[in-house]
Amino acid sequence: MASSSNTLAEVLLSRRVQEMVVNGEQPVSLYICRDEKDAQNAPISPLAPIPIIDLSLLSSSSTEEELQKLKSALCCWGCFQAINHGIPSSFLDEIQQVTREFFRQSMEEKKKYSKGVVEEMEGYGGDPSPEQGQFLDWQDRLLLTVYPYDLRVPKFWPQNPQSFSKILENYTCKMRMVTKLVSKSMAKSLHLEENCFLEQFGEGATLQARFNHYPCCQRPDIVLGLKPHSDGTGYTIILQDIEGLQILQNQQWLTVPTVPNALFILMGDQMEIMTNGIFKSPVHRVITDKEKVRTSIAVFYTPEKNKEIGPQDGLVNEERPRLFKHVKDYEIIHWEHYQRGMRALHTAQV
């Protein structure tokens, strides 16, 4: 029999945070992640000096210096700000604008693309109900598989705004180009054959686009937009409009700054496994704001289904023994742990 708290979570998730804000409702207990005393003593999170990598230099003839900057960024931070990625700023403005337009539509229109509350991942709504004792996130989101094409679920693709599908189609093509360049560059930074990570991801590697909407929250001191976690992906490409994303570095939460027209690229657990622990998969979260609405677009790049991945051979030796086993469909194990508020990386350790 379902517990009362899980039943309440399902009731709340059948609604929308945006709807609660419009109705003037305050966050109820299941959204509260810490008590007020802890919130009052919490330090202010400074801006993180996230390394900036010029992707245009990674594809030029003289790349060694930028490759070493990339390696240093991923060893120390597990993330970087990508500039000069080849995507026009006008197009980035377009996809951010169409995202805002989608969430500004009536609740009736958005609910045409609603997902199930308990298990279903794709579609519009909140993440599936977490296990008992885990708090809910103050956000609504639309999650769509965009590649491979045969894995798309058309019923969840919005018909309005009318330009949504065309813009997302274009963005998908551009993300495929970015993942190809980044994967090759990461391999070269480690003095590996440039296609080795692409081969681990496989030709059927998946891209999922998650459109996030974080409404204003009257209690940003005790309510989070997204709970602390690491990603179960290979890596994630994030386009954000305002600050709110934070990473955990040396037990301190640091705010990821917004760099105009940059893509924030964040390693997931599977990239830490493939690099035998050399690149880090950082824990991160999203805070809420009392006055500002935040939107972001995260594209998850994950190895193809049923494909085994593991530490690259060239990164395992006497000086650096194997840290991880070969794993398959790790994102499923990751999700099970995420629902319990836990990391899953230890399950892949030798």
Side-chain angles (χ1 to χ4, degrees), residues 178-218:
V178 170
T179 55
K180 186 175 181 180
L181 173 59
V182 170
S183 297
K184 286 185 174 185
S185 299
M186 289 192 298
K188 288 191 290 187
S189 79
L190 295 168
H191 304 291
L192 300 170
E193 197 282 318
E194 69 171 17
N195 290 313
C196 67
F197 291 137
L198 287 173
E199 289 170 0
Q200 287 222 52
F201 276 94
E203 292 184 7
T206 62
L207 289 173
Q208 287 189 307
R210 176 170 170 141
F211 301 84
N212 300 302
H213 180 83
Y214 301 95
C216 297
C217 179
Q218 294 305 305

Side-chain angles (χ1 to χ4, degrees), residues 27 70 101 119 151 170 189 250 269 271 311 322 329 337 339:
L70 174 65
E101 288 174 6
E119 293 182 353
L151 294 183
N170 196 353
S189 79
N250 297 324
D269 287 357
M271 206 67 227
R322 182 179 298 276
D329 295 331
H337 283 72
Q339 288 293 79

Side-chain angles (χ1 to χ4, degrees), residues 215-226:
C216 297
C217 179
Q218 294 305 305
R219 296 305 309 270
D221 53 333
I222 56 175
V223 175
L224 286 173
L226 187 61

Side-chain angles (χ1 to χ4, degrees), residues 33-257:
C33 64
R34 57 184 175 184
D35 62 39
E36 296 193 30
K37 184 177 180 181
D38 289 340
Q40 290 172 357
N41 296 327
I44 296 174
S45 299
L47 289 178
I50 304 294
I52 296 175
I53 303 297
D54 187 335
L55 293 194
S56 68
L57 296 179
L58 297 178
S59 54
S60 67
S61 56
S62 53
T63 63
E64 191 57 38
E65 183 179 347
E66 205 68 13
L67 285 173
Q68 289 312 302
K69 281 178 61 179
L70 174 65
K71 177 182 176 182
S72 175
L74 297 179
C75 289
C76 298
W77 291 91
C79 56
F80 63 95
Q81 302 271 18
I83 62 170
N84 295 329
H85 39 63
I87 305 175
S89 59
S90 58
F91 181 70
L92 295 180
D93 291 340
E94 263 189 89
I95 193 162
Q96 287 181 313
Q97 181 59 28
V98 82
T99 300
R100 296 187 193 103
E101 288 174 6
F102 171 78
F103 285 107
R104 285 173 186 157
Q105 294 179 115
S106 69
M107 200 59 60
E108 180 184 13
E109 179 65 30
K110 293 194 291 285
K111 284 186 175 180
K112 291 178 181 178
Y113 314 103
S114 289
K115 56 178 285 301
V117 172
V118 179
E119 293 182 353
E120 202 166 31
M121 291 293 294
E122 287 204 48
Y124 168 67
D127 283 338
S129 179
E131 294 196 13
Q132 187 175 1
Q134 299 301 307
F135 58 86
L136 303 180
D137 299 323
W138 192 257
Q139 66 153 278
D140 297 323
R141 89 313 188 260
L142 172 68
L143 180 68
L144 302 171
T145 296
V146 296
Y147 189 84
Y149 303 124
D150 61 353
L151 294 183
R152 291 181 176 182
V153 185
K155 69 177 183 178
F156 291 130
W157 282 59
Q159 299 301 305
N160 289 303
Q162 292 184 357
S163 60
F164 185 96
S165 292
K166 183 179 179 181
I167 292 173
L168 180 54
E169 194 74 67
N170 196 353
Y171 196 61
T172 300
C173 292
K174 296 182 186 305
M175 288 295 100
R176 291 187 67 198
M177 290 188 291
V178 170
T179 55
K180 186 175 181 180
L181 173 59
V182 170
S183 297
K184 286 185 174 185
S185 299
M186 289 192 298
K188 288 191 290 187
S189 79
L190 295 168
H191 304 291
L192 300 170
E193 197 282 318
E194 69 171 17
N195 290 313
C196 67
F197 291 137
L198 287 173
E199 289 170 0
Q200 287 222 52
F201 276 94
E203 292 184 7
T206 62
L207 289 173
Q208 287 189 307
R210 176 170 170 141
F211 301 84
N212 300 302
H213 180 83
Y214 301 95
C216 297
C217 179
Q218 294 305 305
R219 296 305 309 270
D221 53 333
I222 56 175
V223 175
L224 286 173
L226 187 61
K227 63 178 68 65
H229 66 287
S230 64
D231 285 352
T233 58
Y235 52 93
T236 306
I237 304 172
I238 302 170
L239 179 64
Q240 57 175 354
D241 56 359
I242 63 172
E243 289 160 6
L245 177 63
Q246 295 185 334
I247 61 170
L248 187 64
Q249 179 82 336
N250 297 324
Q251 304 304 310
Q252 182 183 19
W253 286 108
L254 303 175
T255 297
V256 175

